[in-house]
Every structure is written in structure tokens, then in C-alpha cells.
Amino acid sequence: MIDTDELLSIRAAELYYEENKTQDEIGAVLRLTRWKVGRLLAQAKASGFIRIEIVHPRARRLIVERRLREHTGLSDAVVVSAAGVSTDEELQSRAAQAAADYLTALRPVPATLGISWGRTLHEVAQGLKPGWARGVNVVQINGGVSLNRREGTAAATAVTIAQKALGSATLLPSPAILERVETKLAIESDRAVATVLDLGSAASAYLFSAGQADENSALVDSGYLTADQVAELVRKGAVGDIVGRYINADGHIVDLELDERTIGIRLEQLRRAPTAIAVIAGSTKHAVARAIVSSGLCTVLVTDEDTALAVLGETH
Amino acid sequence: MIDTDELLSIRAAELYYEENKTQDEIGAVLRLTRWKVGRLLAQAKASGFIRIEIVHPRARRLIVERRLREHTGLSDAVVVSAAGVSTDEELQSRAAQAAADYLTALRPVPATLGISWGRTLHEVAQGLKPGWARGVNVVQINGGVSLNRREGTAAATAVTIAQKALGSATLLPSPAILERVETKLAIESDRAVATVLDLGSAASAYLFSAGQADENSALVDSGYLTADQVAELVRKGAVGDIVGRYINADGHIVDLELDERTIGIRLEQLRRAPTAIAVIAGSTKHAVARAIVSSGLCTVLVTDEDTALAVLGETH
DNA sequence: GGAAAACTTGCTCACATGAGCAGAGCCGCA
DNA sequence: TGCGGCTCTGCTCATGTGAGCAAGTTTTCC
């Protein structure tokens, strides 16, 4: 049988929150003093019977953000509401918009911003307001899309962010992954590439997303890897990729040989960065997000509610 | 683009409802006066961005109850929350419990209570507390289960309610539907049956449920009708049955011949009753509930949130 | 361009509410 | 039975909050 006080507190809550009665009026109805009513309401709240939710595409979940800050190594977190969202695309859009907002409010404004590329980053670029900053040098930190897709996606992202920041973009003129280590080393040592890589290593802040490890990965899409190769990586423990490098649940490189052929910033450099903003949302990216956060690959995580709970290890 | 004030009001709501900050503190954070913050919060509420829900099996939806009272002919309504409920059975249990509570609180306490039978009514009987009233004569108002199922369900319901009310039960010793009109007339005029019917006609209050019109109907289950017969009734427009009589969406008898062979209170008598409590819940019963309410077959409806919205014509 | 209308802003004031506290009632234990 | 500790109750008081108002600001329309 349910406790009498519990039932009373529910009746009180109904009158308070649905009928907008004052605690005094409720007291009159239920034959209680107004103080008792106040206590019942507090009890109902404490028991979790009262659920207050902010439903809006731009709503954030501050409570979850705080939990992330407290229970992980993150220095900051942005968690967008997943209320009323059915698709992963929608979640990613919300997170991207939130990342744009975060970037706009970021102080100090980074002189140099290192960015990766991909669908999510592109959306972040779209979400930024023209003039969001006054002069930021945007640098690509990993090799770009260029094999068999529309050439310009990666470049366009960097350029858009830079233009809207009234700054300049520095592109990394190189593929993401090369077939032979020798080629990679050669390209890397080329002055045009080396300069950009050095600039990227010294960026004041980083902004990047992550990809899940499956056949829908952007690296497969761009033709750098085949679905079979990714499947093999998964077999070796890969949960996803970050700046073109596949990691396992511990945040370690899965395939050293492949990694040696990948051009771009190294994970250690990212780990040392004072500001590394990861934008990762959608149900397919829970595992990567968790790996990235727990291994300290980012200092700030922009994500959705469900992914945040997964990172906290509270998957329902 | 989203209105600036709208975004601000969302930020304010986050700080107010999730972080429990005062409007003054929020003003300090967002660089606004506390009055502006108050207005933003009011705006957020008015726009429906703030959703407060009471999650508890015994929670009621007073707002929907009021809408029912205002927009239908009902004199009262009880609407239980459907939050976190997956099955129709659970919804029916909640409604049955709520009906038991309603009956307990009903004033004046009915001297004679006319009841139907069925799964729902049985649950209402279970949900009543022993001693919920002091002396109520419980009368069956329609023919009982008796053909091929456990004999006692209908009787047990009446007896349980009466016992718990420290009162007496008067059973209707008759089947629900007879095969020939002549038999029905004969039984009806038998003193033992006629007395009970008269008592039922003069009850101070009625409590009944309704059945959906499909092969799962209690009348099919009890062997009074075949699945085919019900299908035929549906073809003629039947949406469900109430005290053994099939009605269409307008609340009219679907098959006059069948109705002539049905024993129990007539719908006109129910329509004239000052207190007729219908307990109807579950997604399969939306249509019957609507028919019953709109044709004035009950004065009080005990139901679940979703059914209530269907009755109000707000199915999403 | 200027007046009227509509809206927004910062305020006063009254009311609603939560924190904190003293006393009442209840329980267990000697 | 009597004593100390426990919870629960009703209160005072300080604070948080919404209604209403006048002044300032923007918009609209001639």
C-alpha cells in the first residue's frame, strides 16, 4: 500500500502545479496547514515525482553538464536537450548549433583555432553568426576530404568559420591517409605542409568532432578506407576516429601502422591542449564520446543528453 | 532565426529550474534586471517551453479534468496520468483505482449503487478499502456472466463492493443476452428478476465500465456473442458496449433486435440518472468513451489521459 | 517630420514561500 | 514510571516573486 503522505503530496502537487493554487488554498482543500503543504511539496520534489523539463531545440541540460564537469576530467561541458527528437541528425544539428554558441562566447578568443572537418564541423560553421569574433586564424589540423567526393567540403568549413570571424583560414594541403608511410613522411616534411602542421600544433584552441567506427564513417565515405578495413579495425577494438585516427575504448591508437600513414595533429598534442572542444552527438557515437572523454582527449564536450549519460555510464 | 528574447528566456529557465538560482542571480549572470528575468520566465511558461509533469501512478491530470468538465456535458471527471505506462492493462488498473477513490469520496453516499460487471469493475472492487462506506445496497444492473466461464466473477464484484461498504448486494439472477425475445420477456417478468430490475432502476448512483467492439469483448469471452456477430455489429457502426448493449458513435443502439434480447437497465434510464460513473480506460476504448460522453450516458468519467484527449477530440 | 499608439522598462508594494526554531508528542530503554 | 532522544508541528521572519503603474522608447501612420 502506498504511504498516505505520499498520496497527499501528489494531490498537493496537482493543485500547486496544475491548478496554480497557493499553498494556503491547497491547505484549505486538503485540510492541512500551509506549512504542511509546503513540506509535502518539498517531499514530492525530493522523491522525484515532480519533473520539470524545458522543451526547446536550444535548451541545455545544466544538471547533466555539472555532473560531467564533476565526474570527468572535463573543464566544461555543453549538453543539449534530446526532448522530442527522433533522429540522430537532429541531435547533431542541435549540438553543432550549441558548439557555435559556445565558440562565440569563448573567452579569451583564440588567436589560432585548430579544426578538423566533417558533417558536424560543417554545421558548426553554418551555425556561427557573421562577426562572431574579430580576427581568428583558422587552421586545419588533419588531412582533408579530397579523393572522390566534392573537393571543397573540408576547405569550405575552415573558410566559412574564418570569414565569419573576420579572420583568415590556413588549409592543410594534404590527404588524410596515405597508402605508404614513405609518402606520408615526404608530404609531412614538405615546407607547405610542415608550416601548416606547426601552426596547427601551436593553436590556442581546438575544435573537432569524432566519427563512429562503422561503414558510415566519413573516412569510408571519402574513400580513404574501405568498409572491410573499418570492420577489421572494429575487430581490433576501434570505437571511432578522432582527427582521422582510430582509437579504442581506452583512447589508444588501434592500428599503429595505419596511424603512421595518417597526416595531422597527434593525439598527445591534443591531450596537452588547454582548450580542446569536442562536438559529438547521436546514439551511434556514445562509445567514441566515452573513449575521448575518459582518455582526456578533450577539455570541453558539446553533446546531447543521451550521449552525456552514456559518457557518465548511466545508460538506461 | 530564433528570436533573441526566446533564447534568453530559455537560458533563464535553465538557470531557474535546473540550477535553482533566484531571478536576481540569473539577472546578474545574464546582465538583466530581475524584473526582466521574471518576464522572460513568464514568457517561457506562456510559450509552453516549461513542461511540469507529475510522475506517479496515482497522479491525476487536473487540467484535462477541467477541460472535460467545461467542454462536455460531464459534471465531473477523473483523469489519471499515462506517464511511463506502456500497456492498456496498466492504464485500466490506474483508472480502476482512481474510480475506487472517487467512489469513496462521493457525497452524498449513495443508498443504492447500481453496477455492471467486467474486468474493470472487478478491479475497482479490489481497489476499495474495507469500510469505505457504512451500508450501501449494491445492485447489479445487467445480466451476469454465467454461460461458460467461472460462474462467480460478476457476483463476486458486487459482493466485494457491498461487503467492503458494510452493506448488502442484490444480484440479478439472469443471463446478459437471451436467444429468443420471448424468453427474455418471460425472465424479465419473473418476480425474482423484476424486483432486482426495479431496484436497479431506482438506484441513487451507477457505476459501470464499457467494452470495445471487437473479438476481445467480455460478451464474446462469456459466450453470449460470437466473434462473427461482433464483427457484424461493427459493420453496422458499433463502437462498443455499455451494460451489455452495443452502441454506435452517436450513442444509439446498433441492433434493436439484439437489444430486445438483452436484460438489464435501459440506456434512457442511465441517461436520466443524476450520478452515472463510467470507468473507461485504454487505447482500445477511445471510441466507446467518446460515444458515451457525447451522448450523455454518464455524468462522471474516470479515465486515462490519452482517452480523455480522444474524448476531447485532441488525438495527436 | 511629427504626433499618436504600442510596447518596453524599472520601479513600488503586497503576497507567497522557504529557512530556522521552539515546543509537543512519541518512542525506546532502564 | 521516568528520562533522553527522536520526529513532527505550527510558528516568526527574511527573502523571493508577481501585479500594477508611470516614465521612457520604439513603431506606425498620416
Side-chain angles (χ1 to χ4, degrees), chain A residues 6-7 10-11 13-14 18-19 48-49 51-56 58-63 66, chain B residues 6-7 10-11 13-14 18-19 48-49 51-56 58-63 66:
Chain A
E6 187 172 309
L7 252 180
I10 295 301
R11 296 282 157 264
E14 287 162 0
E18 302 207 8
E19 297 280 72
F49 297 147
R51 189 153 117 206
I52 302 183
E53 203 178 18
I54 302 165
V55 278
H56 192 281
R58 299 286 280 268
R60 284 166 56 179
R61 289 286 115 97
L62 301 188
I63 299 176
R66 184 162 35 167
Chain B
E6 189 173 308
L7 254 180
I10 295 299
R11 296 282 157 264
E14 287 163 0
E18 301 206 10
E19 298 279 71
F49 297 147
R51 188 150 124 207
I52 301 181
E53 204 179 18
I54 302 164
V55 278
H56 192 282
R58 299 287 279 269
R60 284 166 56 181
R61 291 283 115 98
L62 302 187
I63 300 176
R66 184 162 34 167

Side-chain angles (χ1 to χ4, degrees), chain A residues 218-242:
Chain A
L219 287 166
V220 174
D221 234 35
S222 315
Y224 288 114
L225 294 174
T226 65
D228 286 349
Q229 284 177 297
V230 175
E232 173 64 12
L233 287 168
V234 169
R235 215 186 47 72
K236 290 188 191 166
V239 293
D241 77 277
I242 166 173

Side-chain angles (χ1 to χ4, degrees), chain A residues 247-262:
Chain A
I247 58 171
N248 62 20
D250 298 328
H252 295 132
I253 294 297
V254 172
D255 183 329
L256 288 172
E257 192 277 326
L258 170 66
D259 201 62
E260 281 301 304
R261 295 189 281 114
T262 307

Side-chain angles (χ1 to χ4, degrees), chain A residues 156-205:
Chain A
T157 302
V159 169
T160 305
I161 296 179
Q163 276 181 345
K164 288 189 175 175
L166 315 177
S168 59
T170 309
L171 305 178
L172 182 62
S174 139
I177 303 174
L178 296 161
E179 292 187 327
R180 297 173 47 232
V181 190
E182 294 76 33
T183 325
K184 184 259 191 178
L185 291 172
I187 289 196
E188 211 173 38
S189 58
D190 183 276
R191 178 169 284 278
V193 171
T195 318
V196 179
L197 285 175
D198 287 349
L199 195 59
S201 302
S204 20

Side-chain angles (χ1 to χ4, degrees), chain A residues 34-100:
Chain A
R34 69 192 184 80
W35 296 284
K36 179 72 182 170
V37 174
R39 281 189 248 265
L40 285 172
L41 286 172
Q43 190 190 312
K45 266 191 223 166
S47 311
F49 297 147
I50 315 294
R51 189 153 117 206
I52 302 183
E53 203 178 18
I54 302 165
V55 278
H56 192 281
R58 299 286 280 268
R60 284 166 56 179
R61 289 286 115 97
L62 301 188
I63 299 176
V64 186
E65 292 181 3
R66 184 162 35 167
R67 288 228 298 280
L68 277 178
R69 264 183 268 117
E70 286 168 0
H71 300 302
T72 69
L74 293 172
S75 66
D76 208 352
V78 176
V79 176
V80 299
S81 152
V85 177
S86 41
T87 66
D88 269 16
E89 281 71 40
E90 173 71 12
L91 284 183
Q92 283 165 357
S93 296
R94 287 190 177 187
Q97 181 60 59

